[in-house]
Amino acid sequence: MALEGLQVVLNKEAVLATASVRELLDAPQVVEDRYKYHVRAYLPLGRAAGSKEDQLSVQEYEKRLISKAREGSAATGYITAEYGYGKTSTAAFLWQQCREANLLAVPPFKVEHLVDLLTAAYAWGRYELKRTRPQMVDALEQLYRRFSERGIEFDAKGNSEVANILNELQQKGRYSTELNIGDLLAFLEQYTSLMIQAGYDGVVMLPDELHQYTDPTINSGERDPLSNLFLLVNGLATRPPGELRATVIFVMPARELGEISDQRRDIVDRMKAGGLGFDLNGIYDADFAVRLWDRLAREFDFRDLVSAIAEPAALRGLGEIATRVDLGSGPRTVVDGFRVMVERYLAAMERGEAPSAYDPINLTDDLLNGNLSFASAKFQREVNAALNNRLVIGQVKRELAVKLLAAFPTNGAPDALIKTMELSGEVDDLVEQQLTIRMGGRDAAGKLIEGVTLRELAPNRGGGDWLTSAISEFIRMHYTRQENSSRVIERAANAFKSLLLKRVFKGKWKVSDEVNATAMRDAALLLEGSFPQTSAKYPERLVYLKIVRDGNRAEVNLPPVDLIIEFDLRRNLNDPERRKAPGEFDDQDAHHLKLALNTAHQSSDEMYPTLQQNLGTIVSPNRLTPLLLLDIYAFLDEQMAANHVPKTERDFIENTFMPDLLDVASMELFNPQLTEGRGENRAAGVRIIEDAFAAAMKKRYPDYVTIISHGQDKAIAEYCTALRSLPNPFQRSGDEPFVGSKDETANLFNRTNSTFDTFLSNYPSLVKVVRAWKANQPGEVLFSLHPWERATLDELAASPDRDPQTKQPRLKLRALREKAADKG
């Protein structure tokens, strides 16, 4: 079976052509054979290592799709990826699995016009019914004609008066013979019902190449195709659960999905809502070629030949190149690489030679010679430029070194492999001459590795040359040489202020004042506001943020505030285990929270994916600490203010790269271990501050009740108006209820019945319904005193201090205000 299995790999198509609707009509057997042949060699793989937790594998998505189709949720979804990442192949596999699950599945087909969905469903339904329920083909034919043969004569059904009316409406643009979304949805309902009668459990459609429908009309400006797409998706989404067992999964490139999301985000949101949005990019990583080769070997029984055909390093290199959008074409490049490897092995066998295993040098040679169809011109250009460099050309071992390094453009050729091929000296020379660059990455087992690749092939998928060179120069001149200096921690403190304002105290918080202490130049911020979870109960709080460095505190005169939060940025320079120390959190004093944050903390020794593409070429993973990230942020902030950043890179740096620096720094500084031992509900990240603030307010002000829980001064003014409108002083003091109809009660507030209900729900402590309104019966409401009002009146009544003239009890206003402040 081994050679037969190799033949399967050799004949595996790198590209699967999507069927047209005409092919479904005229040659469905040809379409079925083509798709089934391709699916035979399709192996669904799991999610890539390190992909997001919500990333499904192909088989998990298959199970979810079949379940949704059977339950009748009328779901829509999408399959997306970059070009060459196997969207149509995956759709064909899902089509085959849906068929085996007794669903009427329409295989992937090109969509150029809206009517194509109707025609494709009819064409494939007819093909299936002829084989399974031939007696029902006539019913399908009638259904199709009823919706496809649109025209005035057809709609008028021979009535000349109706025909004249339709003619007039058509001239006014109020009637069209073209298929509309209402017709399509009605067809799908009746079509699905017919297929269920035929014994199927539901219908699945897989329209492909959606851009052929959207692009021409968008570019011409004639009409907006996304409106119809929205109506279709929304029309299915609004069906009651269990009513319609029809599912539509659109297959489209990532660019198309992005454009739809930019223009009509609601379409993408609705397709995601059913859990059937599927991004194949999460399936493919640098290990994809290794995993697929292993699956093919096991599936087609040539495991005893794998080591003779190709070295694992060559497979790894093929995967790195394939998953780089600037160098390869995803799975297409991998499949084409397998073909080249197998052909080479079989050719040697035919010549009677002992074949040598395909290695990374062979891979680079085939890419340069054009033997792999899906290699990019960039790869060939940059590798040839390195081979022709005066330091390399004519020196055989250096040329081999260049070819070896070129085969690993993402994580670099591993040092062990370089040593095995006896090229360490040559590679060191190339590194010294800056033709190559060191990278950080992981091997197939997830172990951290460091490798070397050609500088011009190193990944840099965001920032341009200025960003890379500027950060490299900054680290070399202003960070590495001065890591222990006060300037480094001072710069980090400035960036930390931005982190607090942009990641922690955002939304309803505003800066009231900013103070710079003089002795140790500690940064300070005075903020007013509250967090979303506390704004209804503790609004408009004053918080003083104090940032100190390495435990050096400066004494300052603090303003009267609700809470002081002290952030101590520590480098722990003398601690050999400083990267593991989580920091310290002290919330014993409800008026003064203290956080000692470890700026050297590292959760792991890996590079964060968000920063790998720009920092991976210049910083080793074990140096990536919050201190460095904050310093880089402060440096870039200074460069932005001085207009030193090129316009071509400014948007990426300001809106993508710098926010990523703050995100990763905040994850490390506010790490989960910082609140270790505080119970199951302990927080992590910026939630540490939010929860600590809420706990401090509750502890400091246990009896506090706000009257501005919704921040509406107008509502409070309306309440005061209502009080003034009450004729009875006992009603105003909350001792006697107001009796009246709901309209009369609402009129006191200058509100309608419905807006008065809103007031009642928002301010239950101010107005209480004693007796609800029923029919024409009056109700009763009690205007309640605020708890502090009631406490003040009680204190006033018991006060021994009397007015000399009136002999009435009295309280000193200043003392009352001080007491109120203590209560919050």
Side-chain angles (χ1 to χ4, degrees):
M1 176 67 182
L3 291 179
E4 293 178 14
L6 286 181
Q7 204 62 41
V8 171
V9 176
L10 196 61
N11 296 334
K12 182 174 171 61
E13 294 175 317
V15 180
L16 175 60
T18 305
S20 67
V21 173
R22 176 52 56 189
E23 284 184 280
L24 296 186
L25 282 167
D26 297 343
Q29 183 68 57
V30 174
V31 173
E32 180 179 21
D33 291 345
R34 183 168 81 233
Y35 279 149
K36 287 176 70 175
Y37 179 81
H38 188 87
V39 168
R40 178 173 175 257
Y42 178 90
L43 296 177
L45 295 177
R47 63 178 71 87
S51 57
K52 296 179 180 178
E53 291 184 3
D54 59 353
Q55 170 69 50
L56 299 175
S57 68
V58 174
Q59 289 170 314
E60 288 169 338
Y61 183 82
E62 166 209 330
K63 292 176 182 177
R64 181 178 294 183
L65 170 60
I66 291 172
S67 174
K68 292 280 185 183
R70 284 174 169 167
E71 71 185 23
S73 57
T76 57
Y78 60 81
I79 300 171
T80 190
E82 301 292 343
Y83 285 101
Y85 273 59
K87 299 181 296 297
T88 303
S89 297
T90 302
F93 169 77
L94 293 170
W95 160 75
Q96 178 69 1
Q97 298 304 106
C98 287
R99 293 182 84 192
E100 294 180 3
N102 196 41
L103 295 167
L104 190 285
V106 182
F109 61 93
K110 296 177 185 177
V111 179
E112 297 181 7
H113 308 284
L114 192 64
V115 71
D116 288 344
L117 278 81
L118 182 147
T119 307
Y122 156 71
W124 201 256
R126 182 183 63 179
Y127 176 62
E128 294 283 20
L129 289 179
K130 281 182 178 180
R131 297 187 299 177
T132 58
R133 295 287 190 275
Q135 70 274 17
M136 300 186 70
V137 172
D138 285 345
L140 177 62
E141 296 279 4
Q142 293 175 22
L143 176 65
Y144 176 64
R145 283 197 299 271
R146 189 158 67 249
F147 284 92
S148 63
E149 296 177 358
R150 291 294 306 273
I152 291 178
E153 183 178 343
F154 181 86
D155 285 351
K157 295 181 173 55
N159 189 317
S160 59
E161 292 183 8
V162 173
N164 290 334
I165 294 172
L166 294 178
N167 263 315
E168 293 178 6
L169 292 174
Q170 186 180 45
Q171 293 173 8
K172 295 177 181 178
R174 296 170 57 191
Y175 165 78
S176 173
T177 58
E178 294 183 5
L179 181 75
N180 58 47
I181 295 299
D183 293 334
L184 181 57
L185 289 170
F187 169 80
L188 274 177
E189 290 176 355
Q190 296 177 45
Y191 177 84
T192 303
S193 177
L194 184 66
M195 293 306 163
I196 291 173
Q197 292 177 37
Y200 293 99
D201 291 336
V203 170
V204 173
M205 298 187 68
L206 294 157
D208 196 354
E209 299 190 17
L210 189 65
H211 58 282
Q212 294 197 16
Y213 165 63
T214 58
D215 283 358
T217 48
I218 288 177
N219 294 337
S220 67
E222 295 177 4
R223 58 187 175 88
D224 175 17
L226 298 186
S227 296
N228 279 334
L229 183 60
F230 170 78
L231 292 174
L232 174 60
V233 172
N234 191 59
L236 291 170
T238 53
R239 288 293 186 278
E243 181 181 276
L244 179 58
R245 282 187 266 172
T247 304
V248 182
I249 305 297
F250 296 96
V251 185
M252 67 185 89
R255 177 189 63 83
E256 179 70 14
L257 182 66
E259 290 179 357
I260 293 174
S261 182
D262 288 342
Q263 297 184 45
R264 291 295 302 266
R265 180 60 186 266
D266 48 354
I267 296 176
V268 178
D269 288 344
R270 278 168 171 77
M271 287 195 285
K272 283 183 177 179
L276 293 177
F278 190 31
D279 188 344
L280 286 173
N281 289 313
I283 300 296
Y284 304 112
D285 60 356
D287 286 324
F288 169 68
V290 176
R291 290 184 290 134
L292 180 58
W293 181 252
D294 179 65
R295 282 291 303 274
L296 286 170
R298 286 187 283 112
E299 192 78 16
F300 299 109
D301 196 20
F302 59 89
R303 283 173 291 181
D304 55 333
L305 299 178
V306 291
S307 59
I309 298 172
E311 293 182 0
L315 297 170
R316 174 73 188 192
L318 178 62
E320 287 197 20
I321 292 166
T323 51
R324 284 277 297 277
V325 294
D326 56 334
L327 301 180
S329 297
R332 292 180 182 177
T333 300
V334 171
V335 171
D336 206 32
F338 290 170
R339 174 189 59 78
V340 170
M341 295 174 185
V342 171
E343 283 181 346
R344 180 177 178 276
Y345 173 82
L346 293 176
M349 294 290 289
E350 289 178 5
R351 293 192 302 268
E353 300 174 359
S356 60
Y358 193 87
D359 63 23
I361 305 294
N362 299 137
L363 174 62
T364 299
D365 282 335
D366 281 330
L367 288 163
L368 293 177
N369 296 332
N371 293 337
L372 269 74
S373 304
F374 299 101
S376 74
K378 175 182 176 179
F379 183 91
Q380 296 172 330
R381 182 180 65 249
E382 300 301 347
V383 178
N384 280 323
L387 290 171
N388 290 317
N389 188 285
R390 61 181 179 81
L391 299 171
V392 177
I393 191 168
Q395 300 188 51
V396 176
K397 294 201 71 174
R398 284 194 176 187
E399 289 178 350
L400 287 175
V402 166
K403 291 181 179 181
L404 175 64
L405 303 185
F408 302 90
T410 302
N411 295 325
D415 289 333
L417 178 61
I418 295 171
K419 185 177 181 180
T420 299
M421 298 190 70
E422 299 181 351
L423 294 172
S424 298
E426 286 71 25
V427 169
D428 289 342
D429 290 342
L430 295 176
V431 171
E432 187 175 338
Q433 298 297 330
Q434 296 190 345
L435 281 176
T436 62
I437 194 168
R438 283 206 164 268
M439 306 292 296
R442 292 188 173 277
D443 62 15
K447 182 181 178 182
L448 184 69
I449 59 173
E450 286 192 357
V452 186
T453 191
L454 297 184
R455 179 178 290 275
E456 297 304 321
L457 290 183
N460 187 13
R461 306 186 190 97
D465 292 337
W466 183 89
L467 179 63
T468 304
S469 60
I471 293 177
S472 179
E473 181 70 8
F474 167 75
I475 292 175
R476 186 172 63 88
M477 297 297 297
H478 303 286
Y479 184 82
T480 303
R481 296 182 180 182
Q482 306 173 15
E483 190 169 1
N484 297 343
S485 71
S486 60
R487 178 70 183 107
V488 167
I489 192 66
E490 182 181 330
R491 194 186 290 114
N494 288 334
F496 185 69
K497 286 170 63 177
S498 296
L499 186 152
L500 290 176
L501 293 174
K502 295 182 178 183
R503 291 294 179 272
V504 185
F505 296 92
K506 53 187 181 178
K508 294 186 177 182
W509 291 96
K510 61 182 180 180
V511 178
S512 291
D513 191 11
E514 187 169 336
V515 182
N516 283 312
T518 55
M520 296 303 298
R521 298 178 54 127
D522 289 342
L525 289 167
L526 183 62
L527 303 181
E528 182 178 5
S530 193
F531 293 106
Q533 63 168 313
T534 54
S535 60
K537 195 168 184 180
Y538 304 105
E540 298 183 11
R541 301 289 96 184
L542 278 176
V543 176
Y544 185 81
L545 307 181
K546 184 180 179 184
I547 305 169
V548 301
R549 307 166 183 84
D550 290 323
N552 298 314
R553 294 177 175 81
E555 295 300 326
V556 294
N557 294 322
L558 299 180
V561 294
D562 296 286
L563 183 64
I564 300 166
I565 307 180
E566 181 181 297
F567 299 95
D568 183 357
L569 301 182
R570 294 185 180 179
R571 287 178 287 182
N572 300 316
L573 296 173
N574 298 320
D575 183 359
E577 298 292 321
R578 64 189 187 129
R579 299 191 187 282
K580 298 180 181 179
E584 300 170 6
F585 177 46
D586 181 1
D587 61 350
Q588 294 302 307
D589 184 350
H591 185 229
H592 194 160
L593 303 180
K594 297 178 181 178
L595 292 93
L597 304 177
N598 181 12
T599 64
H601 186 267
Q602 281 190 312
S603 298
S604 68
D605 56 1
E606 68 179 52
M607 180 79 78
Y608 284 90
T610 54
L611 302 178
Q612 169 71 51
Q613 61 192 33
N614 292 104
L615 293 181
T617 60
I618 53 180
V619 185
S620 63
N622 60 12
R623 294 187 63 198
L624 201 67
T625 64
L627 183 66
L628 175 58
L629 298 177
L630 292 173
D631 267 46
I632 292 174
Y633 184 94
F635 163 71
L636 292 176
D637 203 32
E638 293 166 3
Q639 298 300 302
M640 298 283 283
N643 287 322
H644 290 166
V645 180
K647 290 182 179 179
T648 54
E649 298 187 43
R650 190 178 185 94
D651 179 67
F652 168 78
I653 292 172
E654 184 175 18
N655 298 313
T656 300
F657 185 68
M658 291 177 69
D660 283 348
L661 293 173
L662 294 185
D663 286 339
V664 177
S666 64
M667 287 168 56
E668 292 292 353
L669 293 171
F670 300 107
N671 58 83
Q673 290 72 39
L674 189 62
T675 55
E676 198 83 59
R678 293 176 179 269
E680 295 181 358
N681 296 323
R682 65 190 179 92
V686 297
R687 292 283 185 185
I688 291 175
I689 306 301
E690 295 182 18
D691 287 6
F693 173 83
M697 291 301 99
K698 185 176 181 180
K699 189 174 181 180
R700 282 207 68 194
Y701 308 128
D703 302 322
Y704 176 79
V705 178
T706 184
I707 58 170
I708 54 172
S709 58
H710 291 77
Q712 297 182 8
D713 294 337
K714 181 182 177 183
I716 303 303
E718 290 171 345
Y719 179 73
C720 294
T721 299
L723 286 176
R724 286 192 290 268
S725 301
L726 294 172
N728 188 332
F730 295 104
Q731 293 173 335
R732 290 196 293 271
S733 63
D735 295 319
E736 186 177 304
F738 172 81
V739 181
S741 68
K742 192 171 185 181
D743 284 337
E744 291 172 336
T745 309
N747 285 337
L748 293 175
F749 296 80
N750 293 325
R751 285 177 173 254
T752 63
N753 279 352
S754 59
T755 59
F756 180 56
D757 287 336
T758 303
F759 184 94
L760 290 174
S761 62
N762 287 346
Y763 300 95
S765 64
L766 297 182
V767 181
K768 296 180 181 178
V769 178
V770 179
R771 187 178 70 198
W773 300 272
K774 293 182 180 180
N776 295 324
Q777 297 297 317
E780 296 183 16
V781 295
L782 190 67
F783 286 75
S784 305
L785 293 178
H786 185 273
W788 180 246
E789 286 184 286
R790 175 61 65 190
T792 302
L793 288 176
D794 291 344
E795 186 178 352
L796 178 63
S799 175
D801 189 8
R802 303 280 167 163
D803 183 271
Q805 296 180 351
T806 64
K807 307 302 181 183
Q808 295 294 318
R810 64 182 184 180
L811 294 172
K812 292 184 177 180
L813 189 57
R814 181 176 178 179
L816 190 62
R817 283 176 173 165
E818 290 176 353
K819 187 175 291 186
D822 289 339
K823 295 286 186 180

